């Protein structure tokens, strides 16, 4: 296994005898990664992100220890999660959905825990809970996210993740304004409340939830008001962020717009 726990494939004759990561091969076949030498798994120790010197000398040192942060903010159901995952996969960056941190805290609060205690004691395994995508947990997450002590308890984890070697993509509400104000790329992904409510309704119906468009729209508007109106780290567009409005865009076009901006900034770095 490589450091990302992808199973190695047998040595590829076309790769100078080095083994290739199966995950990288799949991503390359899907067009997610460029076929660059620095994405090879040399000696099975690395997948996309270099953590040891490249033994064949094909990777410039600055690429091996690159720190590059992409901050993607925006309201619920705007498409930032899908775009964030696509950007991370394309460039081989690590990805963190910071909303899961607050959902995990919210889930614990629903179970009777104190919000601040839950945030301070949050473990990586808590992010794997199966109920984090429910409407009830989403509502609880929005409420605990308005508690300053909860946000402060989770800041250090997010900032450490953002500056990891090899690049990172974080999506949330205040990444470009509070968590990573010095991020190399800042995107704000949005859409009209009606479009977002329709998207959310389809998600809920697909999971078996019985609700109406009006109920979902009311919830979207209430969450927007809480996220933008809180005194501590409100959701807002960073001054140097690029706005991507997905209201009338296909998701592929929105992803392409994000990739183009990240590529442009990488060329300037």
């Amino acid at each position: 296994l490589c450091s990302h726990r992808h199973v190695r494939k047998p040595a590829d004759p076309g790769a100078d005898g080095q083994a290739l990561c199966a995950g990288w091969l799949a991503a390359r076949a899907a067009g997610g990664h460029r076929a660059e030498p620095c994405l090879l798994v040399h000696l099975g120790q690395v997948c996309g992100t270099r953590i040891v010197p490249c033994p064949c000398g094909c990777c410039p040192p600055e690429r091996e220890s690159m720190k590059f942060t992409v901050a993607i903010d925006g309201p619920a159901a705007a498409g930032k999660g899908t775009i964030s995952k696509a950007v991370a996969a394309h460039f081989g960056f690590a990805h963190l959905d910071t909303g899961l941190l607050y959902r995990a805290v919210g889930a614990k609060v629903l179970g009777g825990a104190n919000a601040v205690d839950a945030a301070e004691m949050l473990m990586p395994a808590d992010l794997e809970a199966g109920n984090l995508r429910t409407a009830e947990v989403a509502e609880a997450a929005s409420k605990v996210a308005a508690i300053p002590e909860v946000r402060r308890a989770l800041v250090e984890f997010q900032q450490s993740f953002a500056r990891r070697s090899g690049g990172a993509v974080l999506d949330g509400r205040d990444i470009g304004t509070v968590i990573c104000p010095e991020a190399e790329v800042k995107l704000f992904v949005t859409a009209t409340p009606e479009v977002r409510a329709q998207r959310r309704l389809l998600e809920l119906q697909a999971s078996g939830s019985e609700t109406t468009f009006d109920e979902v729209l009311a919830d979207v508007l209430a969450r927007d008001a809480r996220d933008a109106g809180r005194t501590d780290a409100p959701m807002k567009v960073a001054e140097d962020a690029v706005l991507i409005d997905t209201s009338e865009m296909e998701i592929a076009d929105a992803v392409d717009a994000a990739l183009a901006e990240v590529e442009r900034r990488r060329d300037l770095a």
Side-chain angles (χ1 to χ4, degrees):
L1 298 180
C2 68
S3 64
H4 290 196
R5 304 193 66 77
H6 290 135
V7 179
R8 290 176 58 195
K9 296 193 73 173
D12 182 351
D16 297 327
Q18 298 290 354
L20 294 181
C21 170
W24 179 82
L25 285 172
R28 182 179 65 174
H33 284 305
R34 293 172 296 172
E36 295 180 345
C38 58
L39 289 177
L40 299 182
V41 176
H42 295 293
L43 306 182
Q45 298 174 25
V46 186
C47 174
T49 301
R50 306 232 56 77
I51 58 173
V52 295
C54 169
C56 71
C58 66
C59 306
E62 61 271 18
R63 284 294 186 186
E64 294 177 16
S65 59
M66 178 186 66
K67 290 182 173 64
F68 190 93
T69 304
V70 180
I72 302 181
D73 291 307
K80 66 180 182 296
T82 300
I83 292 172
S84 297
K85 292 174 183 176
V87 169
H90 182 87
F91 292 103
F93 295 164
H95 173 245
L96 176 64
D97 174 0
T98 64
L100 282 181
L101 301 177
Y102 295 97
R103 284 174 177 261
V105 172
K108 287 182 173 294
V109 169
L110 291 176
N114 173 273
V116 178
D117 290 343
E120 291 177 342
M121 301 175 64
L122 198 66
M123 302 293 290
D126 296 327
L127 305 183
E128 304 297 327
N131 66 335
L132 298 188
R133 296 296 182 182
T134 65
E136 184 181 25
V137 169
E139 179 76 6
S142 181
K143 292 178 179 178
V144 300
I147 303 174
E149 293 82 2
V150 169
R151 303 196 70 84
R152 284 195 289 270
L154 299 176
V155 164
E156 184 177 351
F157 177 89
Q158 296 173 74
Q159 290 178 334
S160 176
F161 186 94
R163 300 315 292 171
R164 63 195 295 160
S165 295
V169 180
L170 292 82
D171 68 79
R173 303 288 195 278
D174 62 347
I175 308 303
T177 55
V178 176
I179 304 300
C180 306
E182 304 301 323
E184 284 75 11
V185 179
K186 297 179 186 177
L187 305 176
F188 193 91
V189 181
T190 189
T192 65
E194 291 76 15
V195 168
R196 292 187 286 118
Q198 182 61 34
R199 291 172 181 170
R200 184 61 179 149
L201 176 63
L202 293 176
E203 291 177 356
L204 292 172
Q205 290 177 337
S207 64
S209 177
E210 295 184 3
T211 186
T212 67
F213 174 81
D214 289 340
E215 291 173 335
V216 176
L217 178 59
D219 179 60
V220 165
L221 292 173
R223 291 184 64 184
D224 286 354
R226 280 197 299 270
D227 291 340
R230 61 183 179 235
T231 56
D232 188 60
M235 178 183 67
K236 60 182 180 180
V237 184
E239 292 183 1
D240 52 348
V242 173
L243 183 68
I244 299 178
D245 189 330
T246 67
S247 299
E248 299 181 4
M249 296 179 73
E250 295 292 336
I251 188 61
D253 294 330
V255 168
D256 285 344
L259 293 176
E261 178 60 18
V262 175
E263 190 66 70
R264 186 182 74 83
R265 295 299 302 178
R266 270 166 52 97
D267 290 341
L268 296 174

